[in-house]
Amino acid sequence: MTRSSPYVFLLSGKSGAGKTQLCIQAIALLRETRARVAGIISPARFEGGKKTGIYARDIRSNEQRLLAQPGKQAGLGWVFDPATLDWGSHVLRNAAPCDVLVVDELGPLELERGDGWTDALDVLKTCGCAAALITVRPSLIAVLKERLRGYDAEVIPVASSSPSAGDLRDSVVSRLA
């Protein structure tokens, strides 16, 4: 169903809270309802129990590329691959048509530095989707909600007592009707 303004579910939790895993589970359940789901998810890469990278995965094609690695210098944080950021922006810009747009995540790169997947907010305006799942850190909710002014948006806290993927799917499906 095409709508001018999708309902936005903001999945918010600290790093490691399970936002991406909740998205992956909800995507699988949404596909069972025949919902057309598109966008980007960013699962972590682990080696020896340690987070050693972040991937970007196209939800439609399942193509995956390395998005970020820990910085080599102390305090540098994550170093993002510009080619993967461009590729992810391309994936987002070509998400339509879809029923549900997924953007995992809009973080400091996008909301504080104006880099990364800032195209996601423009795509949200034009994709014709009924709903969107966007992951965001708690410290950035106010900034993102300001950028989403005019959209109906619901914050869903993600932690050990999070809603199940089934509950999330049911909430999204109710917006597709």
Side-chain angles (χ1 to χ4, degrees):
M1 170 178 252
T2 300
R3 297 187 181 174
S4 60
S5 183
Y7 191 88
V8 181
F9 295 90
L10 300 174
L11 305 179
S12 182
K14 295 179 179 178
S15 180
K19 300 179 297 291
T20 298
Q21 288 307 310
L22 182 59
C23 280
I24 290 169
Q25 293 167 356
I27 290 164
L29 293 173
L30 286 163
R31 285 181 170 158
E32 290 176 4
T33 71
R34 300 207 188 279
R36 297 172 302 166
V37 185
I40 291 279
I41 56 171
S42 303
R45 176 181 71 183
F46 288 94
E47 295 173 0
K50 183 178 178 183
K51 187 174 181 178
T52 61
I54 303 168
Y55 291 109
R57 184 181 305 152
D58 179 343
I59 292 168
R60 274 201 185 118
S61 72
N62 219 29
E63 181 180 349
Q64 179 170 281
R65 298 183 182 189
L66 185 61
L67 173 63
Q69 299 182 73
K72 302 291 184 204
Q73 301 169 357
L76 191 57
W78 293 97
V79 177
F80 289 84
D81 182 327
T84 301
L85 287 170
D86 288 345
W87 171 79
S89 290
H90 175 78
V91 168
L92 289 169
R93 286 191 306 273
N94 289 287
C98 67
D99 299 313
V100 182
L101 177 68
V102 178
V103 184
D104 176 28
E105 96 179 88
L106 291 181
L109 189 64
E110 292 80 11
L111 299 173
E112 293 176 350
R113 298 195 335 224
D115 201 357
W117 296 329
T118 56
D119 289 348
L121 298 174
D122 292 331
V123 169
L124 198 57
K125 295 175 189 173
T126 61
C127 70
C129 62
L133 300 176
I134 299 175
T135 64
V136 62
R137 297 175 193 185
S139 62
L140 295 171
I141 290 173
V143 174
L144 183 53
K145 283 183 105 177
E146 178 63 28
R147 298 218 184 143
L148 291 171
R149 194 178 340 183
Y151 288 87
D152 289 328
E154 175 180 348
V155 176
I156 298 176
V158 177
S160 58
S161 60
S162 296
S164 71
D167 292 338
L168 182 55
R169 178 218 38 223
D170 294 346
S171 294
V172 173
V173 166
S174 73
R175 299 293 170 177
L176 301 179

